[in-house]
Amino acid sequence: MRILLLCSSFNGLTQRCWLELRRAGHDVGVELAVSEQAMVEAAELAKPDLVICPFLKERVPERLWQAHRTVIIHPGPPGDRGPSSLDWAILEAEPEWGVTALQAVEEMDAGPIWGFRTFAMPSEAPRKSALYNGPVADAAVELVAEVAAKAADPSFVPVPLDYRSPEVRGRLRRAMRHSDREFSWEESTEEIVRRVRAADGSPGGRSVLCDVPVRVFDVYRGPELGGRPGEVAARREGAVLVNTGDGSVWVGHVRLEQEGAVKLPAGLALGDRVASAPERSGYSEITYDRSDGVGVVSFDFYNGAMSSDQCRRLASALRYAVAQDTRVLVVRGGETFSNGIHLNVIEASRHPELEAWANINAINAVCREIVGCTSQLVVTSIGGNAGAGGVMMGLGADRVIIRESVVLNPHYRTMGLFGSEYWTYVLPRRVGAETARRLTRQALPVGAAEAVELGLADRMLAGSRLDFERRVLEYAERLAVDPGYDRLLAGRRQAREVDERRRPLDAYRAEELAEMSRDMFDDRHEFRAARRAFVHKVRAEVTPEHLVRLGGLSGASGAAGAGASHM
């Protein structure tokens, strides 16, 4: 079928839907909902058999849903309505939640139901972003495939929303207000964690810290200290430990409530206000574990962004791991594997270009440790999405294992950068020069199955992230005792030596950095504007050019002339 994806942004969920539908053989186009007119014109020009809205904040224009079958993917169970569904589900500790596919009608979220999925909510309050990118996205992708199949059946009729049905357990919930997100540090740790995580990603929990109004993100339970609530008791790796009414919480990120402020690591955002707080263990973004001949370096950076400081710490951890007497090194990412350099920290810096330069050099050092390790076999465990330099970082290993739901974006173009992280070495080495050129120029997402087919990854595994990590570790343990281990390690060393003689890694690095210096300091491809738009969440005015060309459908902005792809 001809399917048009109408969305507020081409985010991870929308990308997964696009990949799933294309893999099923459909002709799929994408249009950003930049205006009511753009949405209507996109459908008129594309003439789709079906319009699906996997992530849409705006109301679907009446002219569109009356002329085309339009299905909304709503992040709530049947009967749930309103724009703050996940926020309320987390805040009110719902034991079960779901996702519903419903037809667009005049009244928002009240249309007939095409299908739904439900899932158990974790007992510990999940971060909203983790809930959205995990069980919600998994359910939504299944539903999108189901909707497409049902749309091809002329006898299918969606079920009208009926609150008398036992399957309809949701209700209309109002949009969350600022007051719903406010909290006092005198509240319990449980209450604070739940309120902040219900707002994590955006817009954050509202409070006052160090006498400054802040938005709070990325919180974890701390020890029972008995200090004055709201007092910063300690700091560690950019996070600060804050006393609560019955314990403490580690606060990873905050945004000051002032014009132009951006979300930053809490210690960096609060600066001198917390400089005298003592360092304390109990919080770490990077860990190292070893067993049965396998060493595991695990890192979990908020939203996958890696600042200069984080990169230096990760490179140090990798150097330590490489020096151990283990036989296999597993490099394991977190909820998001990595998205490369930390654009927020760069944008907030007094000299952004210098910070960007320091950041790219620091992440290059991380990649060099992975590529250059010849004393152990290296396995990268990609259990969460990855983009730009984060993808290239993972490709330096002997074996790349990817989780089935992961989406990779192996390109830099939309941020106006040439890219570094030794991508001109590791990417063509895996997929060939022609495919490497296509991936970086088209700037389109790659699903896990396609990644294995292309050679970006060696193996795809299904299951939850914890199950995936367990299976990768089992694979690494088998590799460590494989009868052919010595041959495999010798092959890695020999390949590295041959490649180094042909062209040293330093040569790849120098050439990439020469290009990056022009992007960062001369701004030849509008890196500053693209970075600023990303950091400050500037709404796109048109559908970017690289999205207009998706599939065989013609979008409205394609006819009108799309804006620069760096948006």
Side-chain angles (χ1 to χ4, degrees):
M1 287 190 298
R2 294 168 62 82
I3 299 175
L4 177 64
L5 293 183
L6 192 60
C7 54
S8 296
S9 76
F10 196 50
N11 64 359
L13 171 56
T14 308
Q15 291 179 16
R16 282 186 65 184
C17 293
W18 178 76
L19 289 163
E20 176 74 20
L21 291 169
R22 279 172 54 90
R23 208 163 172 79
H26 300 293
D27 183 7
V28 191
V30 175
E31 183 73 22
L32 298 190
V34 297
S35 69
E36 182 172 319
Q37 180 182 350
M39 287 189 268
V40 172
E41 289 183 0
E44 288 176 348
L45 288 169
K47 295 179 174 56
D49 302 307
L50 179 67
V51 178
I52 300 179
C53 308
F55 172 65
L56 187 66
K57 297 179 180 179
E58 296 75 16
R59 182 184 292 273
V60 178
E62 183 176 356
R63 282 191 295 161
L64 193 156
W65 60 258
Q66 284 192 341
H68 304 275
R69 284 186 301 179
T70 302
V71 178
I72 309 290
I73 305 299
H74 176 73
D80 178 80
R81 297 168 58 197
S84 305
S85 294
L86 297 184
D87 313 60
W88 286 118
I90 297 168
L91 190 61
E92 297 183 348
E94 292 284 353
E96 184 181 79
W97 205 240
V99 179
T100 306
L102 47 92
Q103 194 153 321
V105 295
E106 179 64 29
E107 197 172 355
M108 286 191 72
D109 303 333
I113 296 170
W114 282 61
F116 66 92
R117 296 286 189 281
T118 58
F119 52 83
M121 289 280 279
S123 55
E124 173 82 6
R127 280 172 34 192
K128 183 169 65 171
S129 56
L131 181 64
Y132 181 81
N133 292 318
V136 169
D138 292 343
V141 170
E142 285 185 16
L143 272 178
V144 164
E146 180 181 320
V147 165
K150 287 178 175 177
D153 179 2
S155 66
F156 172 75
V157 178
V159 180
L161 176 62
D162 183 357
Y163 281 96
R164 295 170 298 181
S165 169
E167 291 182 336
V168 178
R169 288 172 284 178
R171 57 187 170 87
L172 174 63
R173 300 168 189 253
R174 61 172 172 80
M176 271 202 176
R177 306 185 183 109
H178 287 318
S179 59
D180 297 315
R181 305 188 188 279
E182 292 174 353
F183 69 90
S184 166
W185 297 106
E186 295 179 350
E187 296 176 39
S188 70
T189 296
E190 167 67 25
E191 291 169 332
I192 291 170
V193 167
R194 189 164 292 278
R195 194 167 299 275
V196 172
R197 289 184 177 175
D200 217 325
S202 178
R206 303 183 75 195
S207 193
V208 174
L209 189 56
C210 299
D211 298 321
V212 180
V214 293
R215 297 277 183 159
V216 181
F217 309 84
D218 187 26
V219 295
Y220 302 87
R221 296 175 183 274
E224 294 185 16
L225 301 176
R228 181 169 59 85
E231 182 179 52
V232 174
R235 56 194 173 90
R236 170 82 172 177
E237 295 183 358
V240 296
L241 184 64
V242 185
N243 292 318
T244 66
D246 63 355
S248 65
V249 293
W250 285 103
V251 176
H253 286 73
V254 302
R255 188 182 75 235
L256 304 185
E257 292 269 35
Q258 63 186 41
E259 180 123 11
V262 301
K263 188 191 305 183
L264 293 169
L268 180 61
L270 295 168
D272 292 342
R273 301 178 183 90
V274 298
S276 61
E279 288 275 343
R280 180 190 175 104
S281 62
Y283 172 91
S284 184
E285 298 172 309
I286 306 168
T287 59
Y288 177 73
D289 300 286
R290 54 178 293 169
S291 66
D292 298 326
V294 177
V296 182
V297 173
S298 301
F299 58 95
D300 194 353
F301 300 129
Y302 187 63
N303 291 338
M306 298 171 62
S307 68
S308 300
D309 179 62
Q310 290 168 318
C311 290
R312 293 184 191 110
R313 284 190 276 112
L314 181 54
S316 178
L318 288 169
R319 280 192 291 273
Y320 174 83
V322 168
Q324 304 308 302
D325 60 354
T326 50
R327 293 163 66 86
V328 176
L329 171 61
V330 176
V331 182
R332 174 197 288 165
E335 180 185 319
T336 301
F337 180 78
S338 171
N339 283 319
I341 58 177
H342 203 310
L343 299 176
N344 281 38
V345 170
I346 291 169
E347 181 69 12
S349 173
R350 182 176 299 178
H351 302 291
E353 285 70 37
L354 291 177
E355 177 57 35
W357 186 249
N359 202 163
I360 201 66
N361 277 277
I363 198 171
N364 278 349
V366 173
C367 299
R368 182 65 178 259
E369 292 299 328
I370 295 172
V371 173
C373 175
T374 56
S375 58
Q376 305 178 41
L377 293 177
V378 184
V379 175
T380 44
S381 173
I382 304 181
N385 293 349
V391 176
M392 309 309 171
M393 183 175 77
L395 299 186
D398 297 279
R399 303 286 189 276
V400 177
I401 315 297
I402 189 170
R403 189 167 160 238
E404 184 181 38
S405 60
V406 163
V407 174
L408 303 179
N409 277 278
H411 57 82
Y412 307 81
R413 180 184 167 203
T414 53
M415 199 48 61
L417 293 173
F418 176 81
S420 194
E421 293 96 1
Y422 300 94
W423 79 263
T424 53
Y425 170 65
V426 297
L427 185 59
R429 183 182 64 164
R430 277 194 158 265
V431 303
E434 184 177 341
T435 300
R437 192 177 305 112
R438 175 176 62 82
L439 291 173
T440 52
R441 289 183 179 178
Q442 286 185 341
L444 297 177
V446 176
E450 184 185 0
V452 174
E453 291 166 1
L454 291 174
L456 283 170
D458 298 290
R459 183 173 297 189
M460 179 181 74
L461 300 175
S464 68
R465 189 159 70 89
L466 289 177
D467 184 54
F468 169 80
E469 290 175 355
R470 176 185 59 80
R471 294 176 66 188
V472 171
L473 182 58
E474 290 173 351
Y475 170 80
E477 289 170 347
R478 291 195 301 272
L479 192 59
V481 296
D482 190 296
Y485 174 86
D486 291 336
R487 174 181 52 80
L488 292 172
L489 185 61
R492 175 176 174 83
R493 287 174 177 158
Q494 183 178 9
R496 182 82 282 283
E497 289 170 1
V498 170
D499 287 350
E500 188 70 13
R501 285 196 299 271
R502 183 184 300 118
R503 192 179 190 198
L505 282 176
D506 284 344
Y508 290 98
R509 176 178 175 273
E511 186 174 279
E512 291 169 0
L513 289 178
E515 298 287 349
M516 288 289 274
S517 69
R518 297 174 65 191
D519 292 333
M520 291 176 170
F521 295 105
D522 298 339
D523 200 32
R524 61 174 175 174
H525 292 137
E526 302 177 9
F527 170 55
R528 286 182 200 131
R531 183 186 70 228
R532 193 168 298 120
F534 174 86
V535 168
H536 294 287
K537 303 297 182 284
V538 176
R539 183 187 173 103
E541 296 180 358
V542 294
T543 300
E545 182 184 358
H546 71 290
L547 298 186
V548 171
R549 293 195 297 267
L550 294 184
L553 303 184
S554 299
S557 51
S565 63
H566 307 317
M567 291 295 290

